[in-house]
Amino acid sequence: MKKLFTILITSLLLLFNGSSAAKALVTPPDVSADSVVLLDATTGKLLYEKNKDSAYPPASTTKIMTILLVLEKGHLNDVVTVSKKASLADGSKIYLVEGEKISVKELLYGLILASANDCAVALAEHTGGSEANFVEQMNEKADSLGCKSTNFVNPNGLYDAKHKTSAYDLSLIMQELTKHPEYNDLSTTPSHTMAATNKSKVQRPLWNENRLIQKNDQYYYDGCEGGKTGYTIQSQHSYIAVANRNGQKLIVALVHDSKKTFFPDSRKLLDYGFNNFELSKQFNKSDIVSKLKLKDGTVLPLLASKNLYVIKPKNSTITPDVKTEQEKTNLSTVKKGELISKAKVTLGKDSYNLNLTSGKNYAKKTSPLPNQFSKKFINLPLLINILKYVTIILIILFLIIRSNRKKMRRKKNLKKFINNLNNRR
């Protein structure tokens, strides 16, 4: 009876809340890594996280920061001369030779496809001047990207107790790296054969270790635009990847995986993201987001300073709430395109910031100041002369009036004196 009652109640809830039930999100999959993130690359919003800020040694996933700095600071056609230190690098390598001359692009193939530590050191020395300088630049870049749980000690990820990062920080680095189209070209290459060099007469064949881009592999994932594996005994397994479906780009990062399930776990997380969330353009650049009415009645259209995308559950009917906060206080003069306000667009639990600019020029109408008026309409020297003459005339009039008053008083006194004499007689 109790079971029947439960079924009845559940059926009624589905009947009256059918639309809500249809929109309910599927539960995120269980994954084995200790620090995990699923990030929307366009908006930077988290779709899933598990201990996102917990720091662990990332092994060779470190190399995405090395790749980022090399692409930012160098040129693919630059030629690198391999140092002795680079040739002696430990761990995975393609066996570079001291004095070997090889292009940055070829070394990046070795770094991305084969996870070669000797390529990482050679690129670090070429880009930073020394490995130590390059590592310093890695940490500076991490700070600038907002990484709070990261400290790099080397450019390749060889284990060091102080060399750590989190899944969230790793995703922020990948988010920046995806802005470089060269990375997509290199990282989606299934295999590559490096040409012979001045020190190596034998070609070096390379195979991409990222199984999500290998079409014949069981873990192939349609839309994967690159990724990097990492492993040492102390660090365990780590993985970072990016995938794109219809313009929606997701980043998955898994750090410190003891079960080596990062490939299937990544596929499940990416499916969860693409199946349950969608990217939506809320405003186009230059769209009117709000309007500001000034004291004199003028209306300033406030325009979006850039395209604003939001991430939301699929088929969601949530409407955004837009609130603006005025940034410019002196509005007597406004230039078209000038920052006026900031908008906070709230959609569910997420919020997005957007700068708003003026859609037109504006200047407050003011009455001319006295000195401006005199300069514009009156000849100042002439005015001074006129004032002199007026002053002289006023003085003369004053003297005449005063003289006439004295005469009148004399006549009045004389008349009074005569009258007094007559009265005495």
Side-chain angles (χ1 to χ4, degrees):
M1 186 69 181
K2 184 177 180 181
K3 185 175 180 181
L4 181 63
F5 179 75
T6 303
I7 293 173
L8 179 62
I9 293 298
T10 304
S11 300
L12 288 171
L13 287 172
L14 288 174
L15 178 64
F16 289 104
N17 299 290
S19 59
S20 298
K23 295 173 187 175
L25 295 178
V26 175
T27 304
D30 290 327
V31 293
S32 62
D34 290 317
S35 182
V36 184
V37 152
L38 179 64
L39 182 86
D40 177 71
T42 303
T43 65
K45 298 299 179 182
L46 288 169
L47 306 183
Y48 172 82
E49 66 95 0
K50 172 186 174 183
N51 303 321
K52 71 181 183 73
D53 295 317
S54 296
Y56 298 95
S60 285
T61 52
T62 298
K63 289 165 182 164
I64 67 166
M65 176 60 91
T66 302
I67 299 164
L68 173 60
L69 288 179
V70 170
L71 291 178
E72 282 186 348
K73 297 175 178 293
H75 302 281
L76 295 181
N77 295 325
D78 286 352
V79 176
V80 178
T81 301
V82 178
S83 70
K84 182 178 181 178
K85 183 179 181 180
S87 69
L88 296 175
D90 292 331
S92 59
K93 59 174 69 180
I94 60 170
Y95 297 95
L96 295 175
V97 180
E98 182 183 358
E100 187 170 7
K101 294 185 182 297
I102 190 166
S103 71
V104 167
K105 186 175 183 179
E106 290 289 270
L107 289 172
L108 282 172
Y109 273 124
L111 184 66
I112 296 170
L113 274 63
S115 195
N117 292 338
D118 48 0
C119 290
V121 175
L123 286 167
E125 291 178 332
H126 174 76
T127 305
S130 70
E131 186 177 1
N133 286 343
F134 187 81
V135 170
E136 186 176 341
Q137 292 172 6
M138 293 172 72
N139 287 312
E140 288 174 354
K141 186 66 179 180
D143 288 342
S144 72
L145 294 175
C147 300
K148 305 296 184 185
S149 307
T150 296
N151 182 65
F152 293 120
V153 175
N154 58 61
N156 45 40
L158 284 172
Y159 179 77
D160 187 293
K162 296 179 181 179
H163 187 96
K164 293 183 177 182
T165 192
S166 65
Y168 182 60
D169 286 1
L170 210 56
S171 69
L172 293 179
I173 298 168
M174 178 60 90
Q175 184 184 24
E176 188 70 15
L177 181 55
T178 58
K179 296 176 183 178
H180 295 268
E182 306 96 324
Y183 172 70
N184 177 266
D185 294 337
L186 295 167
S187 62
T188 54
T189 302
S191 62
H192 176 73
T193 301
M194 296 177 68
T197 69
N198 62 317
K199 294 287 185 176
S200 175
K201 305 304 178 185
V202 180
Q203 295 179 332
R204 295 178 173 100
L206 306 175
W207 179 260
N208 198 324
E209 296 177 353
N210 180 18
R211 297 175 67 178
L212 267 67
I213 64 99
Q214 299 289 358
K215 290 188 177 180
N216 295 324
D217 195 285
Q218 63 172 320
Y219 293 124
Y220 171 73
Y221 195 83
D222 185 29
C224 182
E225 294 186 343
K228 188 74 196 72
T229 58
Y231 174 75
T232 69
I233 294 174
Q234 303 96 325
S235 305
Q236 300 187 16
H237 295 276
S238 293
Y239 183 62
I240 178 86
V242 57
N244 192 330
R245 294 272 177 91
N246 301 316
Q248 183 178 358
K249 191 174 291 187
L250 301 183
I251 294 169
V252 61
L254 305 99
V255 180
H256 208 244
D257 176 11
S258 62
K259 297 182 179 179
K260 199 181 177 180
T261 58
F262 55 86
F263 281 136
D265 286 352
S266 294
R267 286 170 49 89
K268 289 187 289 185
L269 282 169
L270 290 169
D271 281 343
Y272 167 75
F274 286 125
N275 291 339
N276 291 286
F277 299 92
E278 61 183 354
L279 187 69
S280 175
K281 185 185 280 188
Q282 190 63 46
F283 294 109
N284 287 305
K285 183 179 180 180
S286 299
D287 276 355
I288 297 177
V289 178
S290 181
K291 294 181 180 180
L292 179 62
K293 189 172 183 179
L294 304 180
K295 290 181 179 180
D296 63 0
T298 301
V299 177
L300 281 183
L302 302 180
L303 313 183
S305 60
K306 63 177 182 179
N307 295 334
L308 180 69
Y309 292 88
V310 298
I311 194 80
K312 59 183 181 179
K314 279 195 172 179
N315 304 315
S316 170
T317 57
I318 302 174
T319 56
D321 176 51
V322 182
K323 293 182 179 179
T324 61
E325 182 176 337
Q326 192 169 315
E327 287 288 306
K328 181 178 171 66
T329 55
N330 182 6
L331 296 174
S332 58
T333 303
V334 175
K335 293 182 180 179
K336 185 177 180 180
E338 184 178 1
L339 174 65
I340 301 297
S341 299
K342 286 189 177 181
K344 185 176 183 180
V345 181
T346 303
L347 191 70
K349 65 178 182 179
D350 293 324
S351 62
Y352 306 79
N353 295 319
L354 179 64
N355 288 339
L356 304 182
T357 60
S358 174
K360 66 180 182 179
N361 294 319
Y362 166 78
K364 184 179 179 180
K365 296 178 181 179
T366 56
S367 301
L369 296 174
N371 61 336
Q372 295 173 329
F373 181 86
S374 62
K375 288 179 182 178
K376 187 173 181 179
F377 298 104
I378 297 178
N379 186 316
L380 191 57
L382 177 62
L383 177 62
I384 293 172
N385 287 330
I386 291 173
L387 289 174
K388 286 180 180 179
Y389 289 124
V390 169
T391 302
I392 292 170
I393 291 171
L394 289 174
I395 291 171
I396 293 172
L397 287 173
F398 173 74
L399 293 173
I400 291 171
I401 292 170
R402 191 172 69 171
S403 176
N404 287 337
R405 283 181 177 177
K406 285 182 178 179
K407 288 179 180 180
M408 290 293 292
R409 280 199 297 268
R410 286 195 207 104
K411 286 183 180 180
K412 188 175 181 181
N413 290 336
L414 180 60
K415 186 176 181 181
K416 187 177 180 181
F417 177 73
I418 294 170
N419 288 332
N420 287 335
L421 287 174
N422 290 332
N423 289 333
R424 288 176 183 177
R425 290 177 182 175

